[in-house]
Amino acid sequence: MEAQEAAGRGPGANETEQAAAVTPDAGAASTGTGASATRQGAAVSGPGASEQAALTGTGVSPGAGYGPAHVLVGDIPEPDKEARHDGDAAAERARAERALDEVAADLEARGARAGGEAEEVLGAQAMMARDPGLSGEVGALVDQGVAAARAVFEAFGKYRDLLAAAGGYLGERVADLDDIRDRTIALLTGLPMPGVPATADRPFVLIAKDLAPADTALLSKEVVAAFVTEQGGPTSHTAILARAMGVPAVVGCAGATSVASGTPVLVDGAAGTVRLSPSDDEVAQARQADEARRAVLSAATGPGRTADGHAVPLLANIGGPRDLESALANGAEGVGLYRTEFLFLDRETAPTGEEQEAAYRPVFEAFPEGRVVVRTLDAGADKPLAFLPPPEEEPNPALGERGVRMFRRYPEIMAVQLGALARAAAGTSAKVQVMAPMVATVEEAEWFATACRTAGLDSPGIMIEVPSAALRAADLIRAVDFFSIGTNDLTQYALAADRQVSAVAGLQDPWHPAVLDLIALAATAATAESKGCGVCGEAAADPVLACVLVGMGVTSLSMGAPALPWVRAALGRHTLDQCRAAAAAARTATSAAAAKAAARAELPGLAALAL
Ligand code: PEP
Ligand code: MG
């Protein structure tokens, strides 16, 4: 699933079909995750948050969406703490089990109707509803006399706490669990089933604390103009499904659920703004910008290159074969980051070599003339894998055993993955390259390169995600064939701002000149050895920053496929010299915002994209 677009904002799905910038400087607010409500001066009426002209959060799927707010709030009240059943525990237990079963069956049926990504998401949610541990917990409470609805509430509470404590991808599954709980309680108490209307006279802006897959699965662009949630991050289901649907979305938007249902709302899914009761002019401007952008985006086709013909291969970030369709549809020239851990996030046991081969081969076959860069398992921190647990509790998982460190701890897992990759690569004409995440030292780079070559994989590379690796890139590049810069982690470590802690999200900005300097060091070191240095972090998906990266010597850009048309268009509107001037200007700035502003001033072609 597009969870692999996890780590930050990037243009979402199908922008070419529906994108629009609301303001000429839409990008300027794009890293804003402070989720603060800001007054921006428009005349609005109505109670509560409607008195504020705009709310801001994190834009996770770009484009403009306009329509009346449909707010989902407090659907199912908490069952009474003291609620007891009539004494027939067996009957009450059976009732609870039937309700859970019915909820699971309904989720599966919705999934089957929706198909594709939604089917998998809902299938996973149905599995949660059928979890024997959960129903055992409910049964035990019922045996103590607790009424079924209350027992469900309490049993789910325990699981919820566990997931929330795990944080990251697992933490963001809390909304799924709450949804199952609420649906089960609704069945047990006769309350109406919570949810979203599947049809509407005119598209609405769906606002919620957080959205569960069941809410969104049957929705379409015809019904929903945009999503806005108070909670959730870029890996929440709202973000994933919004991108897959091509619907603008803003998450982490504080105060959103106090907007009155029916309030007209204009959402900018790139800037992360939610404008309440916008003027007709603002709406008309957003529509115009949308049309203009659409024309520019669809006019940019072919391989990535600057206006003066400097080639910059544009590659896709994928998490598995299912992402190929979008990669190909958006004109990816290959794959720059295959996040293999996403194949195995929900596995209890390590995948076999055969299973892995089956997941790698179709990706290689999809790009017979292209390059496919596979990243070895990046387990730990924000991507925990049950079958690769850290050996001890880590107070700072991002600084613990993750990435290549974990790979070294489990050599048998590494041998199986490299073997599977070598076998799958053997039968393909694609240029297969393998890289390790989280490399910090020359010794690690050499160790990984040797392991790859021993396995028959002759083009090993490393990700530059740790400042030490960037600072000593000139030493590391000698050990490997190429670099790929993971700007999500590089930013996290350069600014000491955990990418999972929303309170420090403002520091998680790859535009920061310190990050730009580190990128430049890596690119310069690779160029000196005539080796490639790509970027595969979210920075590559920002069309403005993409120009700056190229100006710093980055040789390829890899991103979530929906961002490709934007980056292709932005690059195609500027010469290499303009990109270099933008990079130089950005690096003389002293803040992320100033760097962006300085770069933009050197990139006149952005105006045509309303960026
Ligand atoms: C990165 O860190 O920029 C990167 C591409 O890897 P991930 O987001 O999967 O950690
Ligand atoms: Mg990373």
Side-chain angles (χ1 to χ4, degrees), residues 7 337 339 375 378 382-383 402 437-438 463 465 486-490 492-493 499 536-537:
L337 170 62
R339 286 183 165 110
R375 174 172 79 186
D378 187 14
D382 59 323
K383 308 177 202 77
R402 55 164 300 199
M438 288 294 298
M463 291 186 74
E465 306 191 279
T487 48
N488 310 330
D489 276 314
L490 187 59
Q492 149 168 276
Y493 296 123
R499 61 198 265 189
C536 63

Side-chain angles (χ1 to χ4, degrees), residues 550-604:
V550 169
M552 290 195 293
V554 163
T555 53
S556 64
L557 298 166
S558 190
M559 63 207 78
L564 286 162
W566 296 75
V567 172
R568 186 180 295 116
L571 275 182
R573 298 191 150 255
H574 298 99
T575 62
L576 182 56
D577 276 349
Q578 283 176 312
C579 293
R580 286 184 176 138
R587 291 182 63 200
T588 55
T590 55
S591 71
K596 184 165 191 164
R600 290 169 50 80
E602 302 290 338
L603 298 168

Side-chain angles (χ1 to χ4, degrees), residues 362-457:
V363 177
F364 300 162
E365 283 167 0
F367 292 100
E369 314 292 326
R371 185 174 156 218
V372 179
V373 184
V374 185
R375 174 172 79 186
T376 54
L377 292 172
D378 187 14
D382 59 323
K383 308 177 202 77
L385 292 180
F387 58 89
L388 285 180
E392 57 182 87
E393 179 117 344
E394 294 178 336
N396 296 302
L399 302 181
E401 285 202 84
R402 55 164 300 199
V404 74
R405 302 168 189 179
M406 196 72 102
F407 223 40
R408 296 187 82 171
R409 171 169 288 279
Y410 294 100
E412 65 290 353
I413 301 262
M414 180 193 73
V416 172
Q417 184 169 33
L418 294 184
L421 282 167
R423 284 194 304 280
T428 172
S429 57
K431 179 171 171 50
V432 176
Q433 297 186 301
V434 180
M435 66 182 180
M438 288 294 298
V439 171
T441 66
V442 173
E443 191 266 331
E444 283 172 349
E446 286 171 343
W447 172 84
F448 181 75
T450 304
C452 286
R453 292 196 173 107
T454 307
L457 295 159

Side-chain angles (χ1 to χ4, degrees), residues 485-512:
I485 305 177
T487 48
N488 310 330
D489 276 314
L490 187 59
T491 308
Q492 149 168 276
Y493 296 123
L495 276 302
D498 191 324
R499 61 198 265 189
Q500 300 202 77
V501 176
S502 56
V504 294
L507 288 167
Q508 258 285 333
D509 192 339
W511 275 101
H512 196 284

Side-chain angles (χ1 to χ4, degrees), residues 112 161 347 434 455:
D161 293 348
R347 299 263 316 214
V434 180

Side-chain angles (χ1 to χ4, degrees), residues 33 63 112 128 133 216 221 228 235 326 338 359 408 425 433 437 470 519 540:
T33 50
M128 281 186 183
T216 51
K221 269 159 81 159
V228 179
T235 54
S326 174
Y338 185 171
R408 296 187 82 171
Q433 297 186 301
I519 295 170

